[in-house]
Amino acid sequence: MPRSVRAVERAEPTCLYPDEKELAEIIMGPARSKGWTGLAVVLERGGFPRIDPQFGGRYWPAVKAFLDRRNHVGDDAGARRPRRE
C-alpha cells in the first residue's frame, strides 16, 4: 500500500500543543486515529503527558520523548554488548 504524501508531510504537529485529533493522526495515522481516546487513557497510566488545561493540548516534545523512550529510541539497551569471558 503506497504511503500518501500527506502522511510524509505530517511528521510534526502544527504547534507545540496540538489538539487530540491532530495528535492521533500523527501518532496512529488517519485510518486508525479513531481508537486514540481509549489508548491515550491507558498510556497516561504509564506516564504519557496529560492535556495541559491552560493550552488545551499535550506538549508535543514531551509526547515525542515518551514515545521514543517506550520504543527504546536512543537507548543502548538494544545494542549488543561484548561477551565477558
Side-chain angles (χ1 to χ4, degrees):
M1 178 177 208
R3 294 184 70 166
S4 70
V5 174
R6 180 175 179 228
V8 173
E9 292 174 358
R10 297 278 319 257
E12 294 283 327
T14 58
C15 61
L16 286 175
Y17 290 88
D19 63 24
E20 290 296 275
K21 182 178 187 288
E22 182 178 11
L23 200 60
E25 287 185 2
I26 290 170
I27 293 172
M28 300 178 71
R32 295 181 295 142
S33 64
K34 290 181 180 166
W36 173 249
T37 304
L39 179 59
V41 170
V42 173
L43 291 173
E44 283 179 352
R45 293 180 198 146
F48 190 72
R50 295 184 183 275
I51 295 173
D52 185 298
Q54 291 180 318
F55 293 100
R58 300 173 198 273
Y59 184 57
W60 172 250
V63 168
K64 186 161 182 337
F66 174 88
L67 294 171
D68 285 347
R69 281 191 309 273
R70 188 173 189 273
N71 290 285
H72 307 288
V73 174
D75 187 5
D76 290 346
R80 278 198 140 177
R81 298 177 192 258
R83 286 187 175 178
R84 287 186 162 186
E85 294 191 29

